[in-house]
Amino acid sequence: MACTLEFSYIQNSDPLILEKLKNCEDLSDSQITAIQSLLLSGNTTYGKQKLPINKLSAFFTECNSESTTVSKITAATIADTSFPYGFNSMLFDLYLDIDVLQDNLAAITEKVVDTSLQNVILNKLNQIYPSGLNDDVLQLLGSTSRVASIDAISKWNITIIDTLSSLLDSNDGSWEPEKSKAIIMRYLNIDIHSLGSAEINIIGSYICTLDINVLENITAENLIMVLPQI
């Protein structure tokens, strides 16, 4: 579809459009002129370039050959041991389709540890679930959950204790106090939930982030059940 874009559209597009256009086999003179304009802006990953029209195709071909490991992300790409090597946040955002993310979320979050790429994952998930991520998604986030903002966490739908346990798993890294508090409160804001012995064991030291009025709701019975383990 990008290969049919007109001069004015290309010229006024985000420079990322070049990543689509460089795969086109036959560009018109007006399209090439628009591409030249974008290259001259200096705001592309190729730097500021001034190339004759007859060399532009060769330039794109060379760029393609230098980035053969960076292309549309598929299940096979994700399964490769080198994934996500070669992707910066811009390319990761460009080449990771939402449906691929949904179908391979666990595999992606297991391998992606760069925070800039993790932010891309969360941004895309927030587009899919504008009302907040649900239990099934939250349980697959792993360390990616740690880069979520307080605003995003405030929309998470933490309806079961398994999700709370998954999010607070220390193997995925520590939480900032305010974020851990927000997670726990999202769980407790559901009427049927309380700080029982199971919840206290899961929360661990993060219990210290909670307000006193929340802690006052812990029953003596539940506290006695967990005290020997503290």
Side-chain angles (χ1 to χ4, degrees):
M1 183 177 178
C3 299
T4 63
L5 295 176
E6 297 180 353
F7 170 87
S8 59
Y9 188 93
I10 296 173
Q11 189 178 41
N12 296 311
S13 292
D14 187 286
L16 285 175
I17 194 68
L18 293 179
E19 299 302 322
K20 300 288 187 182
L21 291 169
K22 72 181 184 182
N23 296 315
C24 300
E25 295 181 358
D26 188 20
L27 294 169
S28 68
D29 289 347
S30 63
Q31 287 176 315
I32 291 174
T33 301
I35 291 170
Q36 285 278 31
S37 178
L38 281 178
L39 288 170
L40 286 171
S41 72
N43 296 323
T44 73
T45 56
Y46 306 108
K48 191 171 184 179
Q49 300 284 343
K50 185 176 182 180
L51 299 172
I53 288 178
N54 63 347
K55 290 187 178 181
L56 189 60
S57 178
F59 171 71
F60 271 162
T61 300
E62 180 182 351
C63 289
N64 276 332
S65 65
E66 290 178 352
S67 59
T68 54
T69 60
V70 180
S71 58
K72 184 67 71 176
I73 297 173
T74 64
T77 309
I78 298 163
D80 191 286
T81 55
S82 65
F83 178 79
Y85 177 78
F87 288 93
N88 58 30
S89 59
M90 181 187 71
L91 294 175
F92 193 64
D93 187 28
L94 182 66
Y95 289 122
L96 179 60
D97 289 340
I98 284 177
D99 57 341
V100 174
L101 175 61
Q102 284 183 291
D103 293 341
N104 301 274
L105 182 58
I108 292 173
T109 56
E110 182 180 355
K111 290 189 172 185
V112 174
V113 295
D114 183 287
T115 56
S116 66
L117 303 188
Q118 289 177 331
N119 273 312
V120 171
I121 293 172
L122 286 180
N123 287 338
K124 287 181 179 290
L125 289 174
N126 288 332
Q127 292 173 30
I128 302 170
Y129 306 98
S131 298
L133 308 188
N134 57 37
D135 289 298
D136 291 341
V137 174
L138 292 171
Q139 290 182 31
L140 300 179
L141 289 183
S143 62
T144 297
S145 61
R146 273 48 175 181
V147 302
S149 66
I150 293 288
D151 286 342
I153 293 172
S154 69
K155 295 180 181 179
W156 286 359
N157 301 300
I158 307 173
T159 67
I160 57 177
I161 195 169
D162 287 347
T163 305
L164 181 67
S165 178
S166 177
L167 287 170
L168 297 181
D169 188 340
S170 60
N171 291 321
D172 293 322
S174 60
W175 282 99
E176 296 171 19
E178 286 303 309
K179 290 185 178 182
S180 63
K181 176 183 177 181
I183 288 170
I184 297 167
M185 292 311 300
R186 285 299 294 171
Y187 174 82
L188 292 177
N189 282 341
I190 296 178
D191 290 340
I192 61 172
H193 293 162
S194 63
L195 282 175
S197 57
E199 284 83 359
I200 296 172
N201 281 325
I202 289 170
I203 292 169
S205 61
Y206 290 123
I207 198 169
C208 300
T209 66
L210 300 177
D211 295 335
I212 187 65
N213 64 307
V214 177
L215 297 176
E216 287 174 344
N217 292 320
I218 301 175
T219 66
E221 180 183 2
N222 285 328
L223 192 57
I224 291 172
M225 290 177 66
V226 298
L227 278 177
Q229 303 175 42
I230 295 178

